[in-house]
Amino acid sequence: MTAPGAPASPAAGSGGALAATLLETDHVSKVFGGLVAVNDVSFTIPEHAIVSIIGPNGAGKTTFFNMLTGLYKPTTGRIAFGGREISHMRPDRITALGIARTFQNIRLFATMSAVENVMVGQHSRMSAGLIGSILRPPRVRREEREAREKARETLSYVGLAESVHDERAINLAYGDQRRVEIARALASDPQLLLLDEPTAGMNPQESDQLTAFMRRLRDDRKLTILLIEHDMKVVMGVSERITVLDHGEKIAEGDPLEVRANPLVVEAYLGKQG
Amino acid sequence: MTAVRNRLGSHFNLVAAIAGLAIAAIIPMFLDPLSSITDNAITAGAYVVMALGLNIVVGFAGLLDLGYVAFFAFGAYTTAWFASLQFAPANHSKGIHILAGDFASKLPGLHFNFLIILVLAIVITGIAGMLIGLPTLRLRGDYIAIVTLAFGEIIYRFAVNGDAIHLGKGYPLTGGRQAIAPLDSIDLPGLPAFDDASNLRPFFWFVLVLVALVLFVNFRLRESRLGRAWIAMREDEVAAASMGIPLVKTKLLAYATGAAFGGISGAFLASYQSAVNADQFQFGVSIFILAMIIMGGLGSIWGVVFGAVVLSFINTYFIPNVFNSIPSHLGLNFDLTQVSFGIFGFLILIVMVLRPQGLFPERRRKIELTEGIGADESLAEERP
Amino acid sequence: MSGVPAAPDGPAGRPAIVVLREAASRYGLIAVLAALPLYLAILDLTHDGDLSKLGNNIVAGLSNGAIYALIALGYTLVYGIIELINFAHGEVFMIGSFVAFGLWGTLGLGLATGPLGLVFGLLATLLITMVVCGVMNVMIEQVAYKPLRNAPKLAPLITAVGMSFILQNVGILWLGASPASVADLIHAQQDVVTVAGVTVHRADVLAIAVTIPLVLALTTFISRSRLGKAMRATAQDPDAARLMGINVNTTISLTFLLGGALAGAAGLINLLYQTSVWYFQGFEAGLIAFTAAVMGGIGNLKGAVLGGLIIGCIQQISDYRIGADWTPAVVFAYLILIMVFRPQGLIGEVTREAG
């Protein structure tokens, strides 16, 4: 989907084919009091790509994410999604436009069941208001029924056993909680999925499964995926392009091989050599 | 109880409500028409409506409102303005009457039928709820408490000083500390007017109908898109917004809906007691209602009903009549009525420390309180 | 989550728009606060030809404000260290007045007491009241707040309200539900000096004379002593403080002790100033002092004092120019405005690191 008027920038190093830009940031900075968390980062995500942001701890990755989803407003710079400026948009509006996310520390609604969590994810795609919720006309009843069915389907799609669909989120195993987080994000039918360290706490086998799952997501649902990750195997394995942040600045960008060989990147992670 | 609950599944609430209301409706038939028990029960019913309203704001949506008495006041004054002699100069002192009862139709002042007043009360308090909620939208939990408390106090001040505020010649806003009285009684079309001097039962059945309606609204909302949004917002405002929940609209709806219940209750009690005076609207009332929902179990609809009935009866019956002389029997020289709000303070303290989930907790709440989950982080705060 | 040090080559300082917004809201608040006094100053000048009326309001406002400052310090100390509004703090002040009054009876202080006896008697009263209130505040913390440290913030706020009600009821049982008159021990309204039509009464001198040393003692303690450092560290980052070997629980209790002591002192001053005592005085004074703390910047000691003085003036002006019936509404309107438009107050807050 190309937005009218948006320049279609070539995705750097993604095998040559020109792809439309789904999201772009233009000289974006975030300053908290005296802290410069993100410093002049310009960044694009091509449609249907899987791209990653990496960097040592404290590099500003999650802050950057939070600006894309509207939790923080950029101090300077612009963010555009599908050609539309979203720099100062409320998070719920951004979700309605088609960006969904998971959180680094799982933030499920602990006392709701997995199904209910996913149904909350569908909030922006449902329309029952105050009166509709009270009176429950047939239209609303149908909407609720369909939402519940869709939630179960999505949970099964992410691999959650049916036996635990109605289990309270806080009672689920860690891996299952991560699955529910993803299902909840998928519930809003997003175009762009932001995953914040999705493999945290996973063993290598689980990480592999997740990597394969991400590809499936992109292919099945025509998603674009942006990943923050520390697990280099996952990053190198699934990303078409990697952006490296350090101290809030972009220090490198390219395909996995380019980035791995970049001395600046090595230095950022390991410290200056000699 | 749990076995019955499981057998009936999703119909438990409906069956319990019908059974409970049916039993309650029959009881006054065995009592004297002017029985004080019925009188206390009517008051308890009004408090149930208010508690269920505050439950939406605090229990469902997690917005600590310490100024709920303001909505009670608006509802009561709606009756005082539109069903009394307060605005006697209206319409060249002939009065404005809309479906008013036979007696009231001949009187000056505004006299609207009570059903119209209920609608007016809902509208007025709904709007007031949104206006009061508006400044709190970007605030954190404890700050919301203070701002709503401040609003409650400001409304109280207007109620007290309102006798000096004139909307026009001869149209004082309130009666101040003097009661605005008498107020029209409830006069439903097709039925004889309610008369609290001869028979309290119709008032009781009317309040039962109000309770039934309010219960219905509560249960429906809890299992709905809006109810889920409120609970999500209560647990984690940031995650809720990220999932597409519009915080402003969702919070305002909570305030408006909760406020409307307060307005209904206020309007009803004013008509029943046939008087409104500013001293009814002090801060203590907000805490009293809060105590009801805390004791019963924040968020739990049945718990709140229980808490409201119990505390109301303790306040209007047990303390003044049954336990009042206990301190003097123990050699202390005060009556229990003099320490009633100390008692409620103590109850709140004890329950919150020992059993914060209340007596009949909503299953969620116990988990939230033990795991320390709650809306402590406001979306408006940006932290690195 | 990251706490990134400013990059050496980063943008010079903060972006202009942020600085502008910050300045606009601070000066906006100052403008809002100054509006009423300025208007009245102009009114007085045109009507009376001098500012003596306003001047008197301000003198009384500053001395009342000193009392509010002491109470506000208690709020701000507690909020700074555990991010909790001690709703029962106003009642500690009220009990302080009651205790002081009781001590007068025990010590035999009355109108017949000679000046030396009065000075020593009042000093003793001050010390004892401060200790009693300090300890009481710690007890409130142990009973109502400590068990709920891990509960959502709703919980301790509710227990605080409960505590506040219990204490109010203690007041009712002690001296009844109406304000009780008290011996005017220091002849509070006696003129001390009159300058340009503005009169300073004994009560004003007293309030300032007691408050200044107390505030100086407190700030010195907090900035110089080891325990004071522990308090500041715990306020900044309790986990780090714990790792450094600071006993966080004791530090918190110490904070409550200090806050309570100041409220007790305020209670005695109030008793001497108003020559009356009332179970409900804590509720009103508490909310006004809380407004002061927020206005100055909650968590900030200087802010609490500044806020107290300002609010005292606003209250006096409102009492005499608008009507005492409306003063609570006026003060609360200011509170709402501040919390909505500039919650960090005049001086801005010292926040805890997000960790």
Side-chain angles (χ1 to χ4, degrees):
Chain A
M1 182 209 81
T2 335
S9 11
S14 69
L18 275 171
T21 302
L22 184 59
L23 179 134
E24 84 178 284
T25 77
D26 186 31
H27 297 291
V28 156
S29 298
K30 182 62 186 169
V31 180
F32 295 104
L35 256 52
V36 183
V38 172
N39 189 0
D40 194 35
V41 172
S42 297
F43 174 78
T44 61
I45 306 182
E47 228 181 332
H48 300 315
I50 301 182
V51 301
S52 299
I53 298 184
I54 65 174
N57 274 326
K61 311 186 289 293
T62 300
T63 306
F64 185 69
F65 242 41
N66 286 342
M67 283 194 281
L68 298 182
T69 58
L71 290 182
Y72 296 158
K73 310 289 178 265
T75 314
T76 53
R78 289 173 49 250
I79 306 175
F81 178 67
R84 204 165 152 176
E85 169 134 8
I86 61 169
S87 321
H88 297 280
M89 216 178 252
R90 281 182 351 231
D92 57 281
R93 296 273 307 122
I94 292 180
T95 304
L97 278 183
I99 302 183
R101 73 170 292 170
T102 62
F103 291 91
Q104 183 180 2
N105 313 317
I106 298 181
R107 290 174 90 143
L108 291 178
F109 304 116
T111 65
M112 287 191 192
S113 70
V115 171
E116 285 167 336
N117 265 277
V118 178
M119 286 175 81
V120 171
Q122 294 179 42
H123 188 96
S124 52
R125 305 294 173 220
M126 296 168 75
S127 63
L130 176 67
I131 305 295
S133 295
I134 295 175
L135 296 178
R136 264 194 223 161
R139 181 184 62 87
V140 170
R141 276 184 217 269
R142 187 177 52 233
E143 183 181 79
E144 282 282 305
R145 205 177 48 238
E146 285 171 358
R148 204 168 281 270
E149 280 164 17
K150 187 165 168 235
R152 291 189 194 281
E153 273 168 30
T154 313
L155 284 173
S156 301
Y157 180 75
V158 301
L160 191 74
E162 261 189 50
S163 53
V164 292
H165 279 196
D166 292 300
E167 193 64 44
R168 257 183 243 297
I170 204 176
N171 294 333
L172 295 174
Y174 180 79
D176 282 343
Q177 286 186 3
R178 283 233 170 260
R179 279 182 235 275
V180 176
E181 266 239 331
I182 296 178
R184 189 177 64 172
L186 291 176
S188 60
D189 288 328
Q191 290 169 52
L192 174 62
L193 183 62
L194 270 47
L195 301 172
D196 195 344
E197 301 200 29
T199 67
M202 284 187 183
N203 63 42
Q205 195 185 11
E206 290 166 330
S207 302
D208 284 341
Q209 283 176 356
L210 184 65
T211 309
F213 179 68
M214 280 193 272
R215 288 207 195 88
R216 242 179 78 210
L217 266 182
R218 187 264 304 269
D219 298 335
D220 287 353
R221 298 193 174 214
K222 303 279 180 287
L223 281 181
T224 308
I225 298 182
L226 170 62
L227 206 54
I228 291 181
E229 247 315 324
H230 275 304
D231 182 337
M232 281 306 136
K233 184 156 171 272
V234 170
V235 171
M236 298 294 163
V238 81
S239 318
E240 289 153 21
R241 192 197 71 199
I242 303 175
T243 305
V244 187
L245 293 185
D246 187 26
H247 288 107
E249 293 178 10
K250 185 158 94 170
I251 60 173
E253 192 173 70
D255 68 42
L257 291 172
E258 289 174 354
V259 164
R260 190 158 41 184
N262 188 319
L264 286 174
V265 176
V266 176
E267 186 184 308
Y269 272 97
L270 299 177
K272 273 199 167 63
Q273 301 291 318
Chain B
M1 197 45 129
T2 333
V4 178
R5 201 181 190 124
N6 290 339
R7 273 265 300 274
L8 288 168
S10 57
H11 298 296
F12 172 76
N13 288 323
L14 182 63
V15 172
I18 294 179
L21 289 168
I23 295 175
I26 298 179
I27 294 183
M29 301 305 292
F30 298 107
L31 302 167
D32 183 270
L34 290 173
S35 160
S36 67
I37 295 185
T38 311
D39 175 44
N40 289 328
I42 294 171
T43 309
Y47 276 117
V48 167
V49 172
M50 268 199 275
L52 285 173
L54 188 61
N55 190 42
I56 290 181
V57 182
V58 183
F60 287 178
L63 304 160
L64 182 52
D65 185 346
L66 287 185
Y68 194 71
V69 70
F71 307 128
F72 175 48
F74 275 113
Y77 278 111
T78 306
T79 304
W81 291 324
F82 297 109
S84 72
L85 301 163
Q86 177 74 352
F87 295 141
N91 195 16
H92 309 290
S93 296
K94 281 189 284 183
I96 304 177
H97 309 98
I98 305 182
L99 294 178
D102 297 326
F103 179 63
S105 313
K106 307 186 184 66
L107 299 170
L110 301 173
H111 297 273
F112 297 2
N113 188 289
F114 186 70
L115 293 176
I116 300 178
I117 295 204
L118 272 184
V119 172
L120 277 174
I122 292 176
V123 170
I124 293 177
T125 45
I127 295 176
M130 287 196 279
L131 288 175
I132 289 179
L134 209 50
T136 70
L137 293 175
R138 304 179 77 231
L139 296 181
R140 238 176 32 183
D142 33 8
Y143 280 30
I144 295 180
I146 297 291
V147 169
T148 49
L149 193 162
F151 269 118
E153 286 303 288
I154 291 178
I155 301 289
Y156 170 62
R157 284 287 135 193
F158 271 94
V160 169
N161 300 326
D163 48 359
I165 303 175
H166 290 264
L167 303 168
K169 207 158 180 325
Y171 289 80
L173 187 66
T174 71
R177 290 217 165 90
Q178 307 269 56
I180 298 180
L183 305 177
D184 298 342
S185 189
I186 299 177
D187 196 341
L188 303 174
L191 292 173
F194 295 10
D195 176 14
D196 64 352
S198 64
N199 185 1
L200 297 180
R201 291 183 197 137
F203 284 105
F204 180 65
W205 291 321
F206 191 85
V207 87
L208 277 187
V209 170
L210 289 180
V211 168
L213 283 172
V214 160
L215 272 177
F216 173 73
V217 171
N218 260 269
F219 279 121
R220 276 287 165 88
L221 284 175
R222 194 174 64 180
E223 306 297 326
S224 72
R225 173 178 176 255
L226 186 56
R228 281 191 301 271
W230 281 335
I231 294 172
M233 201 173 67
R234 177 184 83 199
E235 284 204 24
D236 189 337
E237 183 174 286
V238 169
S242 303
M243 295 304 130
I245 294 176
L247 294 180
V248 169
K249 186 170 160 195
T250 310
K251 285 182 188 177
L252 288 180
L253 279 176
Y255 278 117
T257 315
F261 287 21
I264 292 174
S265 177
F268 170 78
L269 267 184
S271 188
Y272 173 57
Q273 293 168 345
S274 197
V276 167
N277 81 60
D279 276 326
Q280 294 174 276
F281 307 122
Q282 297 188 51
F283 174 58
V285 176
S286 297
I287 297 305
F288 189 46
I289 314 285
L290 189 65
M292 289 173 185
I293 65 177
I294 288 174
M295 259 200 51
L298 265 174
S300 154
I301 295 177
W302 287 122
V304 162
V305 171
F306 176 80
V309 171
V310 166
L311 284 191
S312 179
F313 268 95
I314 290 180
N315 192 41
T316 56
Y317 182 69
F318 287 102
I319 289 183
N321 299 335
V322 178
F323 300 135
N324 203 17
S325 39
I326 290 183
S328 31
H329 290 321
L330 293 175
L332 303 158
N333 69 333
F334 57 84
D335 287 334
L336 213 59
T337 39
Q338 293 179 276
V339 296
S340 56
F341 70 97
I343 291 178
F344 289 117
F346 181 72
L347 277 176
I348 296 179
L349 183 64
I350 285 287
V351 170
M352 216 56 198
V353 172
L354 295 180
R355 195 180 158 90
Q357 66 270 33
L359 291 169
F360 293 106
E362 192 196 7
R363 290 151 300 167
R364 307 204 140 98
R365 202 65 189 179
K366 194 163 174 188
I367 301 175
E368 279 182 14
L369 285 162
T370 47
E371 301 291 326
I373 299 157
D376 284 348
E377 196 183 330
S378 153
L379 189 61
E381 293 172 0
E382 291 187 346
R383 289 177 162 183
Chain C
M1 288 263 193
S2 51
V4 186
D9 308 314
R14 292 179 299 164
I17 181 105
V18 173
V19 176
L20 268 174
R21 227 184 278 148
E22 156 79 22
S25 71
R26 171 182 290 181
Y27 289 112
L29 177 60
I30 296 178
V32 166
L33 290 173
L36 189 59
L38 271 170
Y39 165 71
L40 289 170
I42 298 175
L43 207 67
D44 279 357
L45 280 172
T46 48
H47 270 225
D48 305 329
D50 65 52
L51 291 172
S52 61
K53 232 201 269 178
L54 192 62
N56 280 315
N57 289 150
I58 295 200
V59 167
L62 288 176
S63 46
N64 273 302
I67 299 177
Y68 291 130
L70 288 174
I71 307 175
L73 280 168
Y75 279 117
T76 237
L77 280 169
V78 166
Y79 195 87
I81 206 163
I82 53 174
E83 294 200 331
L84 181 103
I85 301 174
N86 180 4
F87 204 86
H89 191 64
E91 269 62 52
V92 174
F93 157 73
M94 178 265 295
I95 296 284
S97 289
F98 276 75
V99 166
F101 176 61
L103 283 170
W104 288 1
T106 319
L107 293 174
L109 293 175
L111 288 165
T113 317
L116 210 59
L118 213 54
V119 167
F120 281 118
L122 286 177
L123 225 53
T125 309
L126 180 67
L127 283 160
I128 300 177
T129 308
M130 284 176 72
V131 169
V132 168
C133 288
V135 169
M136 189 171 75
N137 214 20
V138 174
M139 275 173 17
I140 292 177
E141 187 243 333
Q142 298 288 312
V143 168
Y145 301 142
K146 187 148 175 235
L148 295 170
R149 243 181 238 166
N150 291 323
K153 287 285 163 60
L154 191 70
L157 203 60
I158 292 175
T159 49
V161 171
M163 202 76 217
S164 153
F165 268 46
I166 294 174
L167 290 172
Q168 280 186 38
N169 231 156
V170 167
I172 291 184
L173 291 176
W174 196 326
L175 285 174
S178 318
S181 257
V182 152
D184 186 2
L185 283 187
I186 60 161
H187 304 289
Q189 295 308 314
Q190 198 171 308
D191 295 359
V192 171
V193 67
T194 305
V195 173
V198 175
T199 310
V200 175
H201 303 290
R202 276 201 186 174
D204 303 320
V205 174
L206 167 85
I208 306 286
V210 177
T211 306
I212 292 184
L214 281 175
V215 171
L216 285 175
L218 179 78
T219 42
T220 317
F221 176 78
I222 292 192
S223 55
R224 300 283 176 79
S225 78
R226 217 192 75 222
L227 288 170
K229 251 185 220 129
M231 280 171 63
R232 280 182 290 140
T234 313
Q236 276 257 298
D237 189 339
D239 293 319
R242 202 172 281 126
L243 290 172
M244 293 294 119
I246 293 176
N247 185 332
V248 167
N249 283 337
T250 313
T251 310
I252 293 178
S253 296
L254 176 66
T255 311
F256 273 86
L257 184 75
L258 289 176
L262 290 174
L268 172 61
I269 300 176
N270 196 58
L271 192 65
L272 290 167
Y273 194 125
Q274 306 287 353
T275 64
S276 81
V277 71
W278 189 31
Y279 83 94
F280 203 62
Q281 72 186 56
F283 182 73
E284 291 189 342
L287 282 169
I288 296 180
F290 180 73
T291 308
V294 173
M295 183 186 292
I298 193 116
N300 187 312
L301 297 182
K302 290 197 201 78
V305 176
L306 183 65
L309 295 173
I310 296 177
I311 270 279
C313 294
I314 292 179
Q315 188 218 21
Q316 280 299 307
I317 291 175
S318 172
D319 270 357
Y320 282 98
R321 304 305 190 95
I322 302 178
D325 280 339
W326 285 108
T327 301
V330 171
V331 172
F332 295 145
Y334 276 108
L335 177 64
I336 295 173
L337 281 174
I338 296 171
M339 289 191 117
V340 174
F341 292 111
R342 193 172 161 96
Q344 70 268 41
L346 283 167
I347 306 190
E349 62 191 273
V350 176
T351 38
R352 196 178 276 197
E353 287 295 307

